Amino acid sequence: MTGHTSPLENPRRIVVAGGGPAAHRFADAMHTRGLEGWHVTVLTEEAHLPYDRVTLSKALIEVDCDLTLGHASMWDHDALELRTGERVVKINPDAKSVETAAGNSYEYDALVVATGSNAARLPIPGAEHTHVYRTLEDVWAINEAITQLTEKLGRKVNAVTIGGGLLGLESAAGTERLGATPIVIDGASWLMTTQLDEGAGQALGRLIKDKGFEIHGGVFPSEVLSDDDGQVTGVLMADGRIINADIVIVAIGVRPRDELFRAAEGEEQVFTLGQRGGVVISDACETEIPGIFAIGEVANFEGMCLGLVAPANTMAEIVADRLHGGQATFPGFDTATKLKLSGVDVASFGDAFAKTEHSLEIVYADPARGVYQKIVTTDDAKTLLGGIFVGDATPYMSLRPLLGRELPAEPGAYLTAAGGGDAPDTQLPDDATLCSCNNVPAGNIRDAINGCGSCEGNAPVRELGELKACTRAGTQCGSCVPMLKKLLEGELTKSGIEVSKALCEHFSLSRQELFDAIRVLELDSFEDILAKYGTGAGCDICKPTIASILASQHSAYVLDAGRGTLQDTNDRALANMQKDGTYSVVPRIPGGEITPDKLVVIGTIAKKYGLYTKITGGQRIDMFGARLEQLPLIWGELIDAGMESGQAYGKSLRTVKSCVGSTWCRFGVLDSVAMAINLELRYRGLRSPHKLKMGVSGCARECAEARGKDVGVIATSEGWNLYVGGNGGANPAHAQLLAAGLDDDTLIKYIDRYLMYYIRTADRLQRTA
């Protein structure tokens, strides 16, 4: 965000027809390059901000999830305007204007068409009773239908997906997660025929069947059956079989939305269209009429229209570059595909079908395990042309950036499923593309790591999150993140900066690896864990860490069964040691709400033991100066009064700060005090990699400073807004909006999942920010 700027008196007008990912990427590229002298108007027929269609399956499972691309604040720029509910219906090339369905007209100096595509429909009887899988509204309708049918029928819904490609399998996996029985119908003999050869497709089918999917391949559907009320009952196949169905989803591909380029009846055809649709573009992404560009799925380049993220982003960047006087050209489509489906890895890239003359195919196949790995090379087995991986796609990330280059090792060495160990360590050339979605070469990433890139002040980047923000690598589909992390660690090591995942000298595993190992093997004592994975006797790093892991996986009291010796001094004393050797005692006061009787108890104890008292920043009362031998007596009196430790010392939940909310405040929207108390009582005692702080504000005035907390909750007229990853301290960070308009139960569910993810995956002493 460059801040608000005033446009020039006569800016060059750019109109963008369409508001999908390609349109967003173009607007972002213009914003990044600078909008001085420009005015960009984006016209989208949808009611939403541009959203990420790659992660559409998330909205199928959780309709409240936010798929918005980038930061909404981008659209606050004076020279950048997004108009929702505006569908462009006509281009007037001579007048250099477009018309919308609402009757509005927009003049342009340059037009960028990014209308994308429509979901293909089935030309069979009963097709009107089916769903498609293309937009947010589509997946919301599927979610609602399955939910209602489950309640109505009182059993698992039979959810049939017609189409065994990428979208079809993604749709089927989503229905399975919604509790339905996933059934896939595909006219081809094997799944994902566009990306996989027969061996790979058969391996994928076997793996998916083992996951509980029902697959019907090699026969096309001929009719969707329904009762008199229009309720789907089954699918009639061409061979006469009837497959029982309660809901049918069609995901057989997409068709370019090129109607803007087609001549109306009686008019002359101005634009050239591809044989299978889409407007033909040059390598500058320009149509045959100067100043009219097309990007994304509506653009036909060398006879192809593809619905993939990487080429759409590349086209958007090229048009932005051209408008700013550059000479960038479109290199062609990157057809690499990676899919993780219900725990099944699938990847395909390059010349996967070995169509290149004299090419070689090096294959390892294990049908019983559902594993298939293939590498395609030139006839001398040196230059990589493509590959397919099913069941074990580990080599994909190392190989994909080497496409068209000479392999650093024998091709067979990359067939990891054959039992030859890990794939050879690959040193990527600087010009090799590591992130295809954003077209980021390895050299740019090395520059950022070594401090000569585009980051602020050219400071060296040392953290993965900073590297992603600086280079944009790994910020879209995320499949390149493992390789990005590997490159970061390799460069730091070469610079003499030690990169170790070891928890401490006694455990070579990281905290995350140790957490998973303890959970899988169900270990419940430090001695067993040390014997299995460690050496020596342990230390003040690994002991508290393992104590925390055990506490988060078991409900037993943390000081029982010898676990007390693992804890920090503060955890054992239930108090916080101060610099003079005395302790401070902080009783828990959920939400800052306390009765007069408990106030009297705290005051009596403070006077009795001569303690200094202070109201803390977390709305509690701290009593300083207690000696170690006094702590059992103090806690005895506090417990008798119904109070407990506020864990002001622990790697756990500290406080949930709250304003007075709707109970007292005239601006309050919801009861923030009640929610704060609920959250504090729910998560008290939860052990985590570092301390946790929360805040609940009763309105947008934010008196509880919720956006500076690990978990922040703000009341709105639509419900609760949930923010995560905030932090005060030495490195402040604003929390990010995770979900909006939540009811009480959904809010709790989302916080549960967020904290579970943090506790399972974070490193020791890593904050949520």
Side-chain angles (χ1 to χ4, degrees):
M1 181 73 180
T2 57
H4 286 267
T5 59
S6 299
L8 300 180
E9 289 185 8
N10 297 301
R12 289 188 63 190
R13 300 160 300 177
I14 301 174
V15 170
V16 182
H24 176 271
R25 185 51 175 267
F26 171 74
D28 185 48
M30 291 294 294
H31 183 269
T32 301
R33 285 171 171 80
L35 286 167
E36 186 176 353
W38 301 92
H39 188 274
V40 180
T41 303
V42 178
L43 306 175
T44 174
E45 65 184 302
E46 296 194 72
H48 323 284
L49 293 175
Y51 58 88
D52 186 5
R53 296 192 196 277
V54 174
T55 56
L56 203 57
S57 58
K58 292 182 181 178
L60 175 60
I61 309 304
E62 299 181 20
V63 295
D64 292 330
C65 74
D66 184 10
L67 304 185
T68 303
L69 288 165
H71 295 288
S73 59
M74 180 182 81
W75 301 104
D76 294 334
H77 198 289
D78 293 334
L80 192 56
E81 184 178 9
L82 176 69
R83 296 204 171 188
T84 58
E86 282 276 47
R87 177 170 62 90
V88 177
V89 295
K90 187 176 181 181
I91 300 173
N92 301 310
D94 295 335
K96 302 191 79 169
S97 68
V98 297
E99 298 174 20
T100 69
N104 298 317
S105 178
Y106 296 87
E107 296 182 345
Y108 63 80
D109 295 300
L111 173 65
V112 180
V113 179
T115 47
S117 59
N118 280 325
R121 301 276 179 169
L122 275 175
I124 61 175
E128 66 273 16
H129 300 305
T130 64
H131 295 260
V132 293
Y133 190 90
R134 185 65 184 154
T135 67
L136 277 174
E137 281 73 16
D138 293 336
V139 297
W140 289 342
I142 294 170
N143 179 292
E144 182 180 9
I146 290 178
T147 302
Q148 291 181 352
L149 282 169
T150 302
E151 294 177 358
K152 177 182 177 181
L153 300 174
R155 60 169 172 80
K156 292 186 72 172
V157 171
N158 291 318
V160 169
T161 298
I162 299 176
L166 277 169
L167 278 179
L169 295 180
E170 183 181 306
S171 166
T175 64
E176 189 254 350
R177 291 185 62 192
L178 287 173
T181 299
I183 303 168
V184 178
I185 295 175
D186 193 39
S189 299
W190 64 86
L191 300 172
M192 290 181 65
T193 52
T194 304
Q195 293 86 15
L196 305 181
D197 60 17
E198 183 171 3
Q202 298 293 0
L204 176 59
R206 184 182 183 93
L207 287 173
I208 289 178
K209 286 178 182 178
D210 289 343
K211 296 287 184 181
F213 286 58
E214 189 178 317
I215 310 294
H216 299 273
V219 182
F220 288 92
S222 59
E223 183 178 355
V224 177
L225 307 175
S226 61
D227 60 22
D228 294 338
D229 296 327
Q231 171 58 50
V232 170
T233 59
V235 178
L236 175 64
M237 304 296 286
D239 59 5
R241 287 179 297 147
I242 294 179
I243 298 172
N244 292 331
D246 302 305
I247 181 173
V248 175
I249 303 161
V250 177
I252 56 174
V254 294
R255 300 287 183 268
R257 291 189 57 183
D258 55 13
E259 59 269 20
L260 289 177
F261 299 104
R262 295 184 181 274
E265 186 176 350
E267 294 183 0
E268 180 184 356
Q269 180 68 39
V270 176
F271 297 93
T272 301
L273 300 174
Q275 186 175 358
R276 295 189 177 182
V279 64
V280 174
I281 60 169
S282 67
D283 61 2
C285 299
E286 195 169 21
T287 67
E288 53 207 293
I289 296 183
I292 299 181
F293 301 84
I295 59 176
E297 295 162 312
V298 72
N300 185 305
F301 184 73
E302 296 183 346
M304 296 176 64
C305 293
L306 285 184
L308 298 175
V309 171
N313 285 346
T314 301
M315 289 178 180
E317 294 282 352
I318 286 168
V319 175
D321 178 76
R322 287 272 174 166
L323 290 172
H324 279 82
Q327 296 296 317
T329 57
F330 184 60
F333 289 106
D334 178 355
T335 59
T337 301
K338 193 172 190 299
L339 173 71
K340 193 169 184 69
L341 176 73
S342 298
V344 177
D345 275 334
V346 182
S348 170
F349 68 103
D351 183 13
F353 293 91
K355 294 180 179 179
T356 303
E357 189 175 3
H358 304 306
S359 57
L360 297 179
E361 297 177 89
I362 301 94
V363 179
Y364 173 81
D366 187 344
R369 292 168 54 206
V371 175
Y372 183 92
Q373 294 185 325
K374 179 174 83 171
I375 294 174
V376 182
T377 69
T378 51
D379 59 356
D380 58 1
K382 290 185 177 180
T383 302
L384 179 65
L385 298 179
I388 297 175
F389 299 93
V390 173
D392 181 1
T394 308
Y396 169 77
M397 284 312 304
S398 296
L399 286 172
R400 197 194 160 290
L402 296 178
L403 187 64
R405 302 172 184 272
E406 190 168 312
L407 289 170
E410 290 294 323
Y414 293 92
L415 302 180
T416 55
D422 295 334
D425 192 20
T426 303
Q427 183 74 13
L428 293 181
D430 282 347
D431 60 343
T433 301
L434 187 142
C435 174
S436 62
C437 290
N438 293 306
N439 197 28
V440 183
N444 287 19
I445 296 168
R446 289 193 176 96
D447 287 345
I449 296 169
N450 296 317
C452 50
S454 59
C455 295
E456 184 177 353
N458 288 337
V461 175
R462 295 289 182 258
E463 300 292 339
L464 182 62
E466 294 177 18
L467 188 60
K468 290 168 69 176
C470 174
T471 64
R472 299 179 71 167
T475 58
Q476 195 119 21
C477 78
S479 65
C480 65
V481 171
M483 197 65 180
L484 185 67
K485 182 179 180 183
K486 182 178 179 182
L487 182 58
L488 171 63
E489 292 177 350
E491 290 298 308
L492 293 179
T493 300
K494 285 194 298 184
S495 300
I497 301 172
E498 184 177 356
V499 180
S500 174
K501 64 179 182 179
L503 179 64
C504 67
E505 62 182 296
H506 304 106
F507 287 90
S508 60
L509 300 179
S510 67
R511 181 195 175 277
Q512 179 181 350
E513 291 169 336
L514 204 54
F515 188 102
D516 289 337
I518 293 170
R519 180 173 59 87
V520 170
L521 297 182
E522 299 181 345
L523 302 176
D524 59 4
S525 74
F526 178 79
E527 291 73 18
D528 290 345
I529 297 167
L530 186 65
K532 183 74 175 177
Y533 296 108
T535 59
C539 63
D540 59 355
I541 294 176
C542 60
K543 284 183 176 180
T545 301
I546 289 174
S548 174
I549 292 174
L550 289 174
S552 63
Q553 296 187 17
H554 303 282
S555 58
Y557 181 52
V558 295
L559 300 182
D560 278 349
R563 290 186 291 270
T565 58
L566 305 178
Q567 306 287 350
D568 284 323
T569 301
N570 291 344
D571 289 89
R572 290 197 301 271
L574 306 181
N576 205 351
M577 182 182 285
Q578 304 300 308
K579 66 179 184 179
D580 63 355
T582 63
Y583 290 80
S584 74
V585 177
V586 184
R588 186 172 297 284
I589 303 176
E593 185 181 81
I594 188 168
T595 64
D597 288 341
K598 289 181 178 178
L599 281 173
V600 170
V601 170
I602 291 174
T604 301
I605 290 173
K607 289 185 67 176
K608 181 176 179 180
Y609 297 96
L611 307 179
Y612 165 75
T613 56
K614 183 185 183 303
I615 303 295
T616 71
Q619 300 179 326
R620 303 191 293 195
I621 300 173
D622 203 342
M623 297 178 281
F624 291 81
R627 300 190 303 273
L628 184 62
E629 70 272 12
Q630 293 175 325
L631 293 178
L633 301 173
I634 292 172
W635 276 118
E637 295 185 40
L638 289 171
I639 290 169
D640 288 341
M643 306 181 79
E644 63 182 52
S645 172
Q647 292 188 301
Y649 44 82
K651 302 297 183 284
S652 57
L653 177 67
R654 297 292 178 87
T655 67
V656 182
K657 189 173 183 178
S658 168
C659 65
V660 296
S662 58
T663 305
W664 295 95
C665 180
R666 58 196 175 98
F667 300 114
V669 179
L670 295 172
D671 191 349
S672 56
V673 177
M675 178 55 70
I677 293 172
N678 185 14
L679 295 180
E680 187 153 345
L681 295 181
R682 181 177 183 83
Y683 301 115
R684 58 181 174 179
L686 179 70
R687 299 304 174 110
S688 52
H690 210 304
K691 63 185 176 184
L692 291 166
K693 295 183 178 181
M694 301 185 187
V696 183
S697 288
C699 74
R701 286 168 175 79
E702 253 284 68
C703 294
E705 304 163 341
R707 291 192 64 187
K709 303 291 191 289
D710 297 275
V711 174
V713 180
I714 301 176
T716 73
S717 58
E718 303 297 324
W720 299 106
N721 284 0
L722 173 60
Y723 293 83
V724 296
N727 188 14
N731 297 295
H734 262 299
Q736 304 289 315
L737 179 64
L738 182 63
L742 304 178
D743 58 38
D744 290 5
D745 292 340
T746 305
L747 173 67
I748 297 294
K749 180 172 69 174
Y750 281 20
I751 296 174
D752 281 352
R753 293 179 178 183
Y754 178 72
L755 293 179
M756 287 165 63
Y757 179 77
Y758 169 58
I759 291 169
R760 285 190 174 195
T761 61
D763 291 330
R764 171 182 171 270
L765 300 183
Q766 184 179 25
R767 290 294 296 271
T768 60

